[in-house]
Amino acid sequence: MASQQPLILQKPLDQTLSLKEYRRLGGYEALNKVLKAYTPQQVVQTVMDSGLRGLGGAGFPTGRKWSFIKKEAPFPRYIIANTDEMEPGTYKDRLLIQHNPQALIEGLIIGGFAASAEKGYIFIRPAYEQGARILEKALEEARQAGLLGKNILGSSYSLDLVLHRSAGRYICGEAKGLVHALEGKRPHPNIEGHLAGEGLWGQPTIVNNTETLSYVPSILNNGPEWFQNLARSNTAAGHKIYSVSGRVRRPGCVELPFGTPLCEIIEDQAGGMQPGYEYKTCLPGGASTRFLPKQHYAIEMDFDSLARLGHGHRFGTGSIIVFDHKTCLVGAALNLIQFFARESCGFCTPCREGLPYLRDLLRRIEEGDGKDEDLPALKSMAGHLSHAYCAFAPGAAAPVLSLVEDFREEIQEHIAQKGCPFRQDFQDGQENSH
Amino acid sequence: MLPEETLDVLRQKITITDHPRELAVEVMFALQKHYGYLNDEAVQEGAGLLNLSPLEIEELATFYDFIYRRPVGKYCIHVCDGTVCWMFNHQSVLDYISQKLDIPLGGTTEDGCFTLLPVGCIGYCDQAPAMLINGNLYGPLTPEAIDAVLKELRDKQPPQKEDR
């Protein structure tokens, strides 16, 4: 039986755990153990054995990422927590840092030890200024307690942690873009060279998602098998913070085993749909995943289950945006593309030109000027975005492709009726929401 | 010119940091806080502090969502137009604030107190529709909640020291 016990989210969620409270819950025991009895390679192996995967969307195995920094790699080395989180619908890291900042700090120190890093950063977006202030306080508490700085807990390991405030741009969440941003350069992505070899200032660097790092202490505390066994599905490991938003009764974040069925998360945790609304679809993992057709309502929420559906379905960040039967998906896709078109760094042509083109097509359809030939044009242009330089544009295309492939009739209705068939319902819905 | 006290703090940080360029955003925020926005003088000053060219500061300033190269009010109201806020009619929030302050989207009130801007998802999706004002999150928004926030902020100008 998988554990339902939260690991990094304790109750009540709207309070910040102090260092004292975190320690009472077993916090920093893992760091103490690591510094006393582990080599960096043993830490990497433990995390690798646990099956922990990157929770920022890509799902890359964390231990493997850490193993890319070889023993003979040059110094200095860096570790960075990515708290940029700008994907619409995704807000798990905000809740996490406001509620349990010490879990992130301990995870960063252990990850830093594994990489033999001497300096670490928490890269945070400006919309999370409240969280940044909490982290500043938490970092100071940790410093005062000898958990940061020179000779941590009396060991030979030293790590300096810096909170780096960003000025806000979606592409900063991409690892190389983030590194450029930290270097005070324009944060364009760069797919050449690996961060483990050429990261911050050209030195070996690890960039991990905030949630991913926050799970590291509990893995070292309880062992890799324990973490593996927390998941409900066979091919996944551990827990996950699912953030649920949209037309549900109780939107919020909840920590559950990987592989918890979507229907359980929506109904049991988020209280089901708001009165008068029926479930139509969801984006299961944030704005750059596909709309999930209704027949998959009971799917196990993990990386492999979504990937097995094929057609580009992805688990993403596990941030579920729920759409009801009165909400227009053409309008939703238009909103998403407007966001991505605005946030594109403009570095490469498919993204710079393709996203505004898609936006204009969707806008025409939504406003009643759509034509039959717009449908194949949407599909073809969204498909071309896979030729962009980085993953930003293909991610942006995902909801549009699923709109064309799985909810085609909504587009056709717009074209046939020369307008949005949901508009009246939609307006009614908005009035009800206030 | 930045106040001597702020300059001292920044210069000290720049001196002890291995790569001063890392402080580019922090320096821009400090300048923006002092001048109200990143004016030409601030661009020059930032470049001088960091030993960069004004063009290098300019290319950063024009890239980021929260650095303003034109004057803004003391409080920048960023209304979230992310997907979840869209679902909960962020447009009605924009319209309401626009009407209440008598400014269009992108406009600043005559007294220089408020600027109204759109922003991509602010990560407050569980409280949609939501907005961000000088680093503080507000939601779920209703006309009453908006009225209360605007009144509170108008009553306490200038912004508190820690606000950006």
Side-chain angles (χ1 to χ4, degrees):
Chain A
M1 178 64 192
S3 163
Q4 295 286 331
Q5 187 63 40
L7 288 164
I8 51 179
L9 297 187
Q10 310 289 329
K11 296 213 167 164
L13 287 178
D14 58 353
Q15 289 175 15
T16 304
L17 292 176
S18 65
L19 175 60
K20 198 173 160 191
E21 288 161 329
Y22 180 66
R23 282 189 134 159
R24 189 172 47 78
L25 295 164
Y28 287 103
E29 281 173 18
L31 178 66
N32 197 30
K33 189 159 89 173
V34 161
L35 293 177
K36 280 194 176 133
Y38 281 64
T39 63
Q41 289 72 28
Q42 283 172 320
V43 176
V44 173
Q45 193 60 49
T46 306
V47 173
M48 210 176 315
D49 292 345
S50 75
L52 177 67
R53 295 172 68 167
L55 302 171
F60 193 82
T62 307
R64 252 189 82 204
K65 186 187 267 189
W66 290 6
S67 75
F68 292 151
I69 297 194
K70 302 291 176 207
K71 214 173 170 179
E72 60 278 11
F75 291 91
R77 305 167 181 186
Y78 302 100
I79 184 159
I80 305 170
N82 184 347
T83 317
D84 195 55
E85 190 172 58
M86 254 183 94
E87 183 99 348
T90 305
Y91 56 95
K92 62 188 178 62
D93 295 345
R94 168 179 62 82
L95 187 115
L96 185 48
I97 53 169
Q98 289 190 341
H99 171 63
N100 195 354
Q102 294 293 346
L104 170 63
I105 295 170
E106 187 181 5
L108 261 169
I109 304 169
I110 295 172
F113 174 81
S116 300
E118 60 187 46
K119 194 167 182 183
Y121 294 84
I122 302 173
F123 185 94
I124 191 163
R125 61 178 297 198
Y128 289 177
E129 180 56 26
Q130 288 165 350
R133 290 174 196 161
I134 288 170
L135 276 169
E136 266 170 347
K137 196 174 160 216
L139 284 167
E140 192 47 39
E141 275 187 298
R143 242 174 241 123
Q144 295 294 331
L147 298 160
L148 271 177
K150 290 253 175 261
N151 304 108
I152 295 171
L153 293 174
S155 73
S156 59
Y157 181 59
S158 303
L159 179 77
D160 185 20
L161 272 187
V162 174
L163 181 72
H164 184 97
R165 285 174 165 91
S166 165
R169 202 63 197 259
Y170 180 84
I171 199 64
C172 294
E174 194 274 339
K176 260 284 171 73
L178 186 152
V179 162
H180 287 158
L182 254 175
E183 290 175 343
K185 296 176 188 155
R186 206 161 166 131
H188 290 149
N190 180 4
I191 55 175
E192 284 162 31
H194 198 283
L195 285 172
E198 298 168 59
L200 192 61
W201 312 114
Q203 296 298 117
T205 302
I206 298 282
V207 179
N208 281 134
N209 172 258
T210 293
E211 186 189 0
T212 313
L213 285 165
S214 301
Y215 275 113
V216 167
S218 57
I219 291 169
L220 268 301
N221 255 340
N222 300 293
E225 297 81 13
W226 166 85
F227 191 74
Q228 278 273 3
N229 293 333
L230 288 175
R232 279 174 65 172
S233 49
N234 295 332
T235 58
H239 275 194
K240 169 85 190 85
I241 300 175
Y242 296 93
S243 52
V244 190
S245 58
R247 201 68 74 179
V248 291
R249 280 176 199 259
R250 291 193 304 271
C253 283
V254 57
E255 184 183 352
L256 292 168
F258 251 113
T260 303
L262 175 67
C263 55
E264 268 187 48
I265 300 172
I266 293 174
E267 285 167 22
D268 299 349
Q269 303 297 333
M273 300 299 290
Q274 286 181 5
Y277 293 93
E278 293 164 24
Y279 173 85
K280 175 156 70 175
T281 184
C282 73
L283 290 167
S288 57
T289 56
R290 290 173 66 103
F291 292 111
L292 193 66
K294 208 172 179 176
Q295 67 262 33
H296 303 304
Y297 189 47
I299 193 166
E300 292 177 335
M301 284 291 286
D302 60 52
F303 290 106
D304 293 341
S305 300
L306 266 297
R308 266 198 303 274
L309 295 178
H311 306 288
H313 280 289
R314 289 192 317 118
F315 176 77
T317 55
S319 303
I320 304 158
I321 308 175
V322 177
F323 295 88
D324 61 89
H325 72 297
K326 293 178 182 174
T327 296
C328 172
L329 294 187
V330 174
L334 171 59
N335 169 274
L336 289 160
I337 286 296
Q338 274 172 331
F339 168 80
F340 284 116
R342 190 168 63 196
E343 286 298 325
S344 168
C345 75
F347 175 71
C348 75
T349 311
C351 196
R352 185 180 60 246
E353 303 292 333
L355 289 170
Y357 189 89
L358 275 178
R359 179 196 61 204
D360 294 346
L361 272 176
L362 285 164
R363 188 181 285 152
R364 277 218 305 270
I365 295 167
E366 177 66 4
E367 289 176 358
D369 294 326
K371 298 183 178 58
D372 288 339
E373 57 265 35
D374 290 344
L375 234 156
L378 267 180
K379 183 164 182 173
S380 140
M381 184 52 76
H384 287 321
L385 293 188
S386 62
H387 301 297
Y389 185 72
C390 77
F392 179 98
V400 179
L401 280 168
S402 62
L403 174 73
V404 177
E405 290 164 8
D406 300 317
F407 296 91
R408 196 181 187 86
E409 68 287 351
E410 285 203 18
I411 306 176
Q412 286 166 331
E413 259 185 274
H414 278 75
I415 296 172
Q417 292 187 24
K418 297 200 178 305
C420 177
F422 294 91
R423 184 131 303 172
Q424 196 52 49
D425 274 350
F426 185 63
Q427 278 165 357
D428 291 347
Q430 307 323 301
E431 279 155 23
N432 291 341
S433 73
H434 280 284
Chain B
M1 270 283 273
L2 282 173
E4 208 50 49
E5 193 187 337
T6 316
L7 274 172
D8 281 349
V9 173
L10 289 175
R11 280 193 191 121
Q12 198 191 346
K13 277 190 173 183
I14 288 166
T15 310
I16 59 168
T17 306
D18 292 340
H19 304 274
R21 193 173 178 144
E22 179 182 310
L23 300 171
V25 169
E26 189 172 334
V27 166
M28 286 195 296
F29 271 142
L31 289 160
Q32 181 162 282
K33 190 171 166 182
H34 175 68
Y35 290 103
Y37 71 106
L38 209 74
N39 59 20
D40 292 346
E41 190 186 344
V43 169
Q44 296 283 347
E45 208 175 330
L49 272 169
L50 294 162
N51 201 21
L52 297 173
S53 69
L55 185 62
E56 285 172 300
I57 297 292
E58 178 77 6
E59 68 173 9
L60 291 175
T62 52
F63 190 83
Y64 285 115
D65 296 342
F66 286 80
I67 299 291
Y68 315 114
R69 278 291 273 126
R70 290 173 60 189
V72 288
K74 281 174 182 157
Y75 297 103
C76 273
I77 304 173
H78 284 98
V79 176
C80 179
D81 60 15
T83 314
V84 184
C85 289
W86 166 83
M87 201 189 298
F88 288 93
N89 204 1
H90 80 286
Q91 189 60 47
S92 69
V93 174
L94 277 173
D95 293 344
Y96 185 79
I97 297 175
S98 179
Q99 187 196 356
K100 195 87 193 167
L101 297 178
D102 196 23
I103 50 171
L105 186 59
T108 300
T109 52
E110 270 180 25
D111 61 0
C113 193
F114 296 107
T115 294
L116 179 61
L117 294 168
V119 69
C121 184
I122 54 173
Y124 214 37
C125 315
D126 52 338
Q127 304 291 325
M131 65 181 175
L132 179 74
I133 305 178
N134 293 24
N136 294 313
L137 295 160
Y138 300 91
L141 297 173
T142 58
E144 298 74 39
I146 294 168
D147 287 347
V149 173
L150 295 182
K151 184 178 181 313
E152 186 199 328
L153 295 179
R154 209 185 272 282
D155 288 350
K156 73 163 188 183
Q157 27 172 344
Q160 288 179 340
K161 220 175 175 183
E162 70 269 22
D163 287 349
R164 261 205 313 257

